[in-house]
Amino acid sequence: MSTEQRKSPENALWLCLSCSKVIDASPAAFTVDGLLAWKKNAEMLAARDSKVTADHVGTLLVEIEAARTDIIRFCSYWQAADPSNEWPSQLTFNEMTERILKHSTLRRAAYHEEIAPRVSKMISVARTILGPDSDEVASLAHIFTYAETNYLSMLNCAKALQRVADVLAMR
């Protein structure tokens, strides 16, 4: 490379003094292709981050806290009305089973109407802000896939939302 090419912005890779010395001292360990991949990744992250404002993060933090509160209230409401809490009952086993299944069906429908769309949207926004490789967002997305099944899973979803909020707050 000519001196002009070495000094051009296209060739720039911003590193701390320690890292630049390590890379310069070990050219076999750090290939041109590897360094160009680092640069491309850093530029993509910078472009993503430049589009995200503190308002975006703040809004998502407020929405996460509201969703967490709503999930806890939702669980309390539906758990208090859960017919399995009335066991033993004067009803027959089949009648009690029917009431429990009806309650579960209604609870799941309410969850899909009130909670799931909000959490799904938050996962999408958090993935945009924190990037597709965020462990916290991946964990939340995984927990969310089965959160409708029972109260404990819903509360685990609320905890996963808090972990995402913790990471967002440090951003």
Side-chain angles (χ1 to χ4, degrees), residues 47-61 125 128-129 168 171:
R48 180 199 72 201
D49 290 349
S50 70
K51 295 175 186 170
V52 176
T53 66
D55 288 344
H56 292 114
V57 174
T59 298
L60 183 56
L61 286 170
V125 174
T128 299
I129 293 173
L168 283 167
R171 191 171 185 290

Side-chain angles (χ1 to χ4, degrees), residues 9-99:
E10 291 79 25
N11 190 46
L13 180 62
W14 303 109
L15 300 168
C16 70
L17 184 60
S18 299
C19 290
S20 66
K21 285 182 180 182
V22 169
I23 289 171
D24 288 343
S26 311
F30 299 97
T31 65
V32 171
D33 289 341
L35 293 172
L36 290 173
W38 280 7
K39 179 179 177 175
K40 182 178 179 182
N41 187 46
E43 288 171 347
M44 287 181 353
L45 293 173
R48 180 199 72 201
D49 290 349
S50 70
K51 295 175 186 170
V52 176
T53 66
D55 288 344
H56 292 114
V57 174
T59 298
L60 183 56
L61 286 170
V62 169
E63 289 174 1
I64 287 174
E65 186 54 35
R68 289 184 64 254
T69 301
D70 289 347
I71 290 170
I72 293 165
R73 280 190 200 132
F74 183 92
C75 289
S76 295
Y77 172 81
W78 284 94
Q79 201 166 21
D82 195 323
S84 61
N85 293 333
E86 301 168 13
W87 204 271
S89 166
Q90 301 300 339
L91 301 174
T92 66
F93 177 80
N94 288 341
E95 291 169 331
M96 191 61 167
T97 301
E98 188 176 315
R99 284 186 67 202

